[in-house]
Amino acid sequence: MRHALDGAGALQRIYTVDGLDALEAELAEMFGTCPEIQGTYVNAGPNAGRTARWPALLERFERDDSAGRLERFVEADVKLIRGLGFET
């Protein structure tokens, strides 16, 4: 975790998925135009935004320990995001 937080200091900006409007604004300012990023979903499925995806994902794992490993990854990711000063 410390290595990731230290490495983040070398980056000019970090954007969260729910803050892509800031990225779009900066791209527009720098280049005069930008791709529409926020609100664009690829492979989202027919129920995107209307159903919880986590339970459906857990059902697809063949082994219980796979779900546990993914949960630990998510916990570490949340800790990193908070360490960078973002709210989760």
Side-chain angles (χ1 to χ4, degrees), residues 39-54 56 60:
T40 301
Y41 302 94
V42 178
N43 295 331
N47 296 319
R50 294 185 304 228
T51 60
R53 297 182 329 175
W54 187 257
R60 298 180 133 223

Side-chain angles (χ1 to χ4, degrees), residues 42-86:
V42 178
N43 295 331
N47 296 319
R50 294 185 304 228
T51 60
R53 297 182 329 175
W54 187 257
L57 177 62
L58 292 178
E59 288 177 12
R60 298 180 133 223
F61 287 123
E62 294 179 8
R63 298 175 17 197
D64 289 340
D65 66 323
S66 297
R69 288 194 336 261
L70 183 58
E71 287 175 0
R72 287 189 297 280
F73 173 83
V74 170
E75 290 168 2
D77 187 58
V78 168
K79 186 176 179 181
L80 174 61
I81 294 299
R82 288 180 180 160
L84 292 170
F86 294 103

Side-chain angles (χ1 to χ4, degrees), residues 14-59:
I14 298 173
Y15 303 93
T16 60
V17 172
D18 60 349
L20 294 177
D21 56 329
L23 173 59
E24 288 180 343
E26 287 195 35
L27 289 173
E29 184 178 318
M30 291 169 57
F31 302 110
T33 187
C34 74
E36 292 182 22
I37 301 170
Q38 186 166 333
T40 301
Y41 302 94
V42 178
N43 295 331
N47 296 319
R50 294 185 304 228
T51 60
R53 297 182 329 175
W54 187 257
L57 177 62
L58 292 178
E59 288 177 12

